[in-house]
Amino acid sequence: MKDWIRPEIKALTAYHVPDAAGYIKLDAMENPYHWPDDLVTQWLEVLRDANLNRYPDPSANKLKLKIQTCLNLPSESEIILGNGSDELIQLILMAVSGKDRVVMSVEPSFVMYKMIASFLDMPYVGVPLNERFELDLDLMLASIKQHQPAVIFIAYPNNPTGNLFSEQVLDEILETTDAIVVIDEAYFAFADKSYANKLKDYANLIVMRTVSKMGLAGLRLGYMAGNKSLLQEMDKVRLPYNINILTQVSTEFALQNKHILDEQTEQIKRDRSELFNALNRIDGLDVFPSDANFILIRLLQHDADAVFAALKDQNILIKNLSHADVSLKNCLRVTVGKASENEQFLLAFKSAIA
Ligand SMILES: *Cc1c(COP(=O)(O)O)cnc(C)c1O
């Protein structure tokens, strides 16, 4: 057989998800809590009525309305749902794709922007953040001018650094570019800021989120809000029935009981402060403040590969970012877990660098 696979695809390394069975899992920004038993029982009752023999509502209108009202999105905005926000990144880029259509983001940031751009054969430009992982406004504006991007992705808070970029800087970018600007608020539950209230000000702004990090990663549901005429065009690229019925009814049920998720979020935020303070008391670390449910740590006196391996030997899985980007040399990222898990992590971490 002739080799039909595109050279750009052959040059990629597949997105690797390590097998986490048996580990204390602090690598993937999951919420560590499930629901109380009585809520699980109620949820199973709801599932009983789901008609698995029928296709789901293709536009998931009931769920969209629930999301719009429960998660504070403006009623004038159009909403599109995706099979995770990963699918929405793909959908946005499919709607604008072309060999001369530049996709721009910052580095380091979420890797799927660049990966999906290359799946679609679109040029990608990553603008480096400064040494504190903040946006460099002058560099951003110069890069926008030079490359004339079609789409700019900004994770807010950023992954893997955890910080929120300056609102003034982002506003300035929104004012000056005619690109579609996607503010990716995957971690909005843990941050006190959102661009949702600015949707009315900018026709080129899309606010994208997911229910994954707020406690429903297993459902695979992302959503984005934006200008009606823009999103109506993008919706043509969406495959019919992309949100299955179990996800539709389960997310609706979860949002009806959102106070449970909110309590979990508050607990995670408290535990984030505890973990941050504990890490800050350890010598030889640069610990980056976080508005998300994870913390980025730079080892100043130890080798990140060795510490990562030592933690793994003690059944603790975190993320080694040391080789992900030049700016992340010797960096590790730990997700905030249950208090007991964070304590076990801290003990193992301290012994790994002792
Ligand atoms: C986790 C993450 C996503 C993907 O979320 P899914 O909805 O689970 O696909 C998107 N953007 C950022 C910045 C993330 O960290």
Side-chain angles (χ1 to χ4, degrees), residues 84-86 110 113 155 159 184 186-187 210 212-213 220:
S85 46
D86 287 346
F110 187 50
Y113 310 139
N159 172 12
D184 179 351
Y187 300 95
T210 172
S212 295
K213 314 292 163 51
R220 305 304 299 130

Side-chain angles (χ1 to χ4, degrees), residues 15 28-29 82-89 109-113 154-160 184-187 208-213 216-218 220-223 293-294 333:
Y15 189 85
M29 283 78 96
N83 189 332
S85 46
D86 287 346
E87 192 192 33
L88 294 173
I89 300 168
S109 190
F110 187 50
V111 293
M112 291 313 284
Y113 310 139
I154 302 283
Y156 183 82
N158 191 33
N159 172 12
D184 179 351
E185 299 186 348
Y187 300 95
M208 182 172 79
R209 296 184 190 154
T210 172
V211 301
S212 295
K213 314 292 163 51
L216 303 167
R220 305 304 299 130
L221 186 84
Y223 56 97
N293 63 341
F294 58 85
R333 185 190 66 198

Side-chain angles (χ1 to χ4, degrees), residues 16-20 23-29 275 279 294-297 299 303-322 330-337 341-342 344-346 348-349 352:
H16 171 67
V17 180
D19 181 9
Y23 286 96
I24 294 180
K25 198 170 179 315
L26 302 175
D27 66 328
M29 283 78 96
L275 182 59
L279 286 165
F294 58 85
I295 296 176
L296 184 73
I297 308 161
L299 304 177
D303 176 42
D305 294 347
V307 173
F308 174 76
L311 287 169
K312 224 174 149 189
D313 281 345
Q314 300 199 50
N315 278 321
I316 297 172
L317 190 63
I318 62 168
K319 179 87 175 175
N320 182 4
L321 291 163
S322 201
N330 257 336
C331 285
L332 299 171
R333 185 190 66 198
V334 59
T335 302
V336 180
E341 295 173 325
N342 302 337
Q344 286 184 71
F345 160 74
L346 278 168
F349 186 77

Side-chain angles (χ1 to χ4, degrees), residues 88 124 277:
L88 294 173
Y124 171 86
N277 292 336

